[in-house]
Amino acid sequence: MSLPIDMDAVVIGGGIVGASAALFLAKSGQRVALLERDFFGAHSSGVNYGGVRRQGRPLSQLPLSQRAHAIWGDLTNLIGIDGEYLRSGHLKLARSDKDMAALAAYEQASRGFGLDLQLLDRDQLRARFPWAGDVAVGASLCADDGHANPRIVSPAFAHAARRAGADIYEQTEVSEVSHDGHAFTVRTASGQTFRAPWLLNCAGAWAAALAEQFGEPVPMRSGHPAMLVTEPLPMFMDVSTGVEGGGIYARQVARGNCVLGGGQGFALDPATARPGQAAILDILRNAVELYPPLAGAQAIRTWSGTEGYLPDREPVLGASSTQAGLLHGFGFAGSGFQIGPAAGEALAQIVCTGTPSIRLDAFSIQRFQPVSQPTLPTAPPATAAPAHAENVIPLFRGRSQP
Ligand SMILES: Cc1cc2nc3c(=O)[nH]c(=O)nc-3n(C[C@H](O)[C@H](O)[C@H](O)COP(=O)(O)OP(=O)(O)OC[C@H]3O[C@@H](n4cnc5c(N)ncnc54)[C@H](O)[C@@H]3O)c2cc1C
């Protein structure tokens, strides 16, 4: 066992949330270690559909999502690559008058958040997007939403964190966490030990284990959206699309391939998911009526990933209610790629200033605690606790079932 490495903050999980937090912490001059069990972006953050959209989110998420929109707008400066990020527009299609009414209600409710949604009736939709299938009766367009390549964006956040001064580690599974009343001791399966007054739990679908060990159980389950990509096709679609009521989403990349998602796959084990034949067939069946140019297209690859979902489909983001210095950022319910950089920034702000610039009350972990707990100060204590104050938290096993 090596000597402990002292840090200001340790981040568990090198997805887009943890890597963004590490980046913003390092840019603020904090000594931060980013610990990833597998590879940066190996899970949800690197295998997702690539939708970078605000449209359709719960209103509670829109302030944070708007902040994320600004961060995405400066992506190249921030992480050093453009990540194939395009502000192509996000088009949400309606298949019935009822769905169109739901899009209109959302447009009304989200006014004032800066989404600038445009409702398109059947004729307007066809005039602007002639590829749309007959089943689409209209749509809502968010012209400044878009898409990006998650496979390159998410690891780039971790590498940008390294350039900003963070210590970043792959294939480094956190196996044990303890707190002695003053600081966290974080041990890894590979034998390293870190000490820090701040610990950020950004372990994605596996984050509930750590929360539970600190007395904050959450009813998180895993989900596995099914994905496929087609062979390259002639360009026909320049927007990222979704459908009111869900079921399918699709985008076409510059090389001509169409990326499609919809439905749920299944888990092979807690860290490995597959899309499953049924979900893939459903996507292919639904796709052609909404996107007729896809008729006869070959799917050349299918995949899935593992993401954490809480019952209200809101993330847990902010301070622990039981342990000063512990911050949570997980449970982004299939839509954390867009909002992840702002979530990471908010966690970094708590470390640096005590308060995030955007209120996170809706995402508090306390909403899952049966009895209200006294509110703890967020920040860790400034002075060392007496030696007898050792409070060892049980082992945090990174691969425990979410
Ligand atoms: C197939 C799919 C499609 C999606 N499509 C979209 C989309 O189009 N748009 C959108 O906005 N969102 C989308 N999402 C959701 C989005 O990808 C996630 O919400 C987001 O990536 C979550 O980021 P994260 O950093 O919280 O989690 P993750 O990316 O899962 O990162 C958590 C990391 O923690 C690590 N870890 C866990 N335990 C330990 C440990 N003990 N020690 C060290 N490391 C540990 C894991 O290895 C993992 O890499 C999709 C998700 C999936 C699965």
Side-chain angles (χ1 to χ4, degrees):
M1 193 66 76
S2 58
L3 283 173
I5 302 169
D6 284 319
M7 290 284 160
D8 296 316
V10 170
V11 181
I12 304 177
I16 197 163
V17 176
S20 301
L23 171 58
F24 287 110
L25 283 166
K27 282 168 75 78
S28 301
Q30 302 286 324
R31 295 170 305 159
V32 55
L34 174 64
L35 310 182
E36 165 55 43
R37 176 187 65 197
D38 296 319
F39 293 97
F40 300 126
H43 292 282
S44 280
S45 298
V47 304
N48 64 63
Y49 161 74
V52 183
R53 65 161 178 86
R54 297 159 294 162
Q55 173 164 226
R57 286 179 184 276
L59 302 186
S60 52
Q61 291 183 17
L62 288 181
L64 200 63
S65 186
Q66 280 294 89
R67 173 61 198 144
H69 183 64
I71 296 174
W72 278 94
D74 194 34
L75 193 71
T76 307
N77 275 336
L78 190 63
I79 65 172
I81 59 166
D82 70 10
E84 298 174 18
Y85 172 53
L86 290 176
R87 286 201 169 163
S88 58
H90 176 258
L91 186 71
K92 199 161 195 189
L93 298 158
R95 282 172 291 204
S96 67
D97 292 343
K98 188 169 159 249
D99 288 350
M100 198 61 215
L103 292 180
Y106 185 81
E107 187 275 330
Q108 278 278 343
S110 62
R111 276 188 198 170
F113 286 100
L115 271 57
D116 297 325
L117 299 180
Q118 302 163 47
L119 295 173
L120 307 177
D121 64 20
R122 184 184 279 275
D123 292 342
Q124 291 165 326
L125 173 64
R126 283 185 177 70
R128 288 185 66 172
F129 304 102
W131 50 261
D134 287 344
V135 290
V137 303
S140 170
L141 175 67
C142 186
D144 259 1
D145 277 355
H147 54 109
N149 184 338
R151 171 48 62 211
I152 57 176
V153 166
S154 295
F157 270 93
H159 295 297
R162 177 180 46 74
R163 288 194 296 277
D167 289 348
I168 66 172
Y169 300 82
E170 291 182 306
Q171 296 189 286
T172 301
E173 176 174 6
V174 172
S175 54
E176 186 183 326
V177 171
S178 62
H179 194 275
D180 63 6
H182 177 54
F184 294 94
T185 298
V186 178
R187 295 202 166 85
T188 72
S190 42
Q192 291 129 307
T193 304
F194 298 85
R195 294 254 316 156
W198 292 96
L199 181 65
L200 279 59
N201 177 17
C202 303
W206 303 272
L210 185 63
E212 182 159 6
Q213 286 172 25
F214 280 88
E216 297 176 299
V218 290
M220 188 156 70
R221 66 171 179 84
S222 289
H224 315 283
M227 307 289 308
L228 68 86
V229 63
T230 70
E231 61 190 325
L233 301 170
M235 289 304 293
F236 68 93
M237 181 165 67
D238 58 1
V239 280
S240 181
T241 65
V243 177
E244 173 58 26
I248 191 165
Y249 34 98
R251 66 188 181 100
Q252 189 170 24
V253 302
R255 292 172 292 281
N257 311 75
C258 289
V259 182
L260 289 95
Q264 286 285 315
F266 62 93
L268 283 181
D269 62 47
T272 318
R274 294 285 180 266
Q277 202 178 28
I280 293 298
L281 289 176
D282 269 356
I283 294 173
L284 292 171
R285 221 179 345 256
N286 289 329
V288 177
E289 59 175 23
L290 282 159
Y291 315 96
L294 286 177
Q298 298 276 357
I300 57 173
R301 189 165 74 87
T302 67
W303 73 97
S304 185
T306 303
E307 162 70 323
Y309 291 75
L310 292 150
D312 55 7
R313 297 180 76 95
E314 297 279 20
V316 165
L317 183 63
S320 161
S321 60
T322 59
Q323 176 60 62
L326 176 63
L327 305 180
H328 299 294
F330 61 82
F332 288 87
S335 56
F337 184 53
Q338 189 271 348
I339 214 167
E345 182 188 54
L347 295 175
Q349 286 168 342
I350 298 174
V351 172
C352 296
T353 70
T355 320
S357 61
I358 292 168
R359 291 186 69 112
L360 303 177
D361 308 25
F363 315 127
S364 168
I365 197 165
Q366 280 192 286
R367 70 190 193 272
F368 298 112
Q369 308 319 315
V371 280
S372 62
Q373 317 224 12
T375 307
L376 278 177
T378 302
T383 52
H388 66 264
E390 179 87 358
N391 168 26
V392 177
I393 303 301
L395 289 185
F396 169 43
R397 294 290 178 205
R399 284 192 189 269
S400 53
Q401 181 74 45

